[in-house]
Amino acid sequence: MFQRLLPKSPRARRMALIAAALLLSAIVAIPASGVALAQSPPPADDISLVNRDRQLVERKKEGDFVARPIFSRQVGVLYYAIRHPDTGDWLTNTYQVRGGEKRLAEGWEYTFEYPALGEQPELHPEQPFLLMLAVPRQGGGERHIFYALIPVHQPKGLWDRVLGALDPDRWARAAAKWVVQGVHGTLCGVFEGVFQTDIANCEGW
C-alpha cells in the first residue's frame, strides 16, 4: 500500500522517503521531550533559620527591638510582621527589610530595627510578641515562614539588676519557695523523731 503512494520517479521517491522519515522523527520526539520535562525535578529551595534556637531579637527599654536573623542561604527579599503570642492576631502590617545584609561563616545575616517607620505601632516593653519572617520560594509558590520570639526587655546595667532583684513579685515567689522548703523540713524532722527512722526523699528539696 505504501509503495503505491510513492512517486514513480526515483528522485521524487527518495525525497518522499526523507520527508516521511523527518516527519516520523518529529512525531516521536514531541512526546519524548514532553515526558522528559514532566519528570525533571524542581530546583532545590532548601533554606533554614540558622539561629532559630538562639535569641535573635534584642529588646530595648522603650519596646523597640533589633532583629538579626541568619539564614542558611542568601535571600532576595525578606518580609516581617508581628503577631500577638496568645491570640495570634496580627499587630502590624507586613514590611520589607531593606539593607542590613552581611555574609557570615554560618550563613547570611539580615539586621533590621523596629520601629523604622512612623506608622509602625509601639510595643509594650514588658510583653513578649511573635516575629514572623517570610522568604519567597525560588520558582514561586507559598513563602517560607519562620517565627522568632520578641522577648520582654531585660535591663543589663548593674543598678537595673539590683532593682530587678528587689522586684516584689520575684521576692514573693522566692519567699513562697522558702516557706515550702521550711515546712517540708520541719515535717521531716517531726516524723523522723517520732518513728526513729529516716524518711525517703526527705533531704531532696
Side-chain angles (χ1 to χ4, degrees):
M1 178 67 180
F2 182 71
Q3 294 291 335
R4 295 179 181 177
L5 296 177
L6 291 176
K8 296 181 179 181
S9 170
R11 178 180 177 81
R13 183 178 297 179
R14 188 166 55 253
M15 295 298 295
L17 289 174
I18 294 174
L22 292 175
L23 179 61
L24 180 61
S25 63
I27 294 174
V28 172
I30 290 174
S33 63
V35 171
L37 291 176
Q39 293 179 349
S40 298
D45 189 23
D46 296 332
I47 185 172
S48 61
L49 186 58
V50 176
N51 57 342
R52 67 185 310 162
D53 297 330
R54 289 171 263 166
Q55 184 173 317
L56 59 89
V57 180
E58 178 186 354
R59 198 72 184 273
K60 304 296 184 180
K61 64 179 180 179
E62 300 298 332
D64 50 336
F65 65 84
V66 179
R68 297 180 178 88
I70 303 174
F71 296 97
S72 57
R73 66 166 173 81
Q74 188 175 14
V75 301
V77 184
L78 174 61
Y79 301 97
Y80 73 92
I82 299 174
R83 305 184 73 168
H84 193 280
D86 298 326
T87 64
D89 294 338
W90 295 101
L91 303 180
T92 68
N93 296 324
T94 300
Y95 303 99
Q96 180 179 344
V97 175
R98 299 183 181 275
E101 179 180 329
K102 183 191 299 182
R103 181 73 168 94
L104 302 178
E106 57 183 342
W108 288 84
E109 179 183 273
Y110 293 83
T111 302
F112 60 93
E113 298 183 2
Y114 180 95
L117 303 173
E119 65 189 44
Q120 294 175 321
E122 296 182 357
L123 301 178
H124 197 286
E126 297 182 3
Q127 181 178 354
F129 299 93
L130 286 177
L131 176 65
M132 185 275 295
L133 301 168
V135 178
R137 293 181 181 271
Q138 295 178 345
E142 296 183 357
R143 301 171 179 174
H144 293 283
I145 301 296
F146 304 94
Y147 280 97
L149 175 67
I150 303 175
V152 298
H153 171 61
Q154 295 289 340
K156 296 182 179 180
L158 178 60
W159 181 243
D160 291 327
R161 293 180 182 179
V162 172
L163 293 178
L166 297 177
D167 180 16
D169 292 336
R170 185 176 300 177
W171 275 98
R173 290 193 296 269
K177 183 177 180 180
W178 294 338
V179 170
V180 172
Q181 290 177 351
V183 172
H184 180 269
T186 301
L187 291 177
C188 283
V190 170
F191 277 101
E192 288 177 353
V194 171
F195 295 102
Q196 297 298 315
T197 183
D198 293 333
I199 300 177
N201 299 326
C202 215
E203 300 299 330
W205 287 54

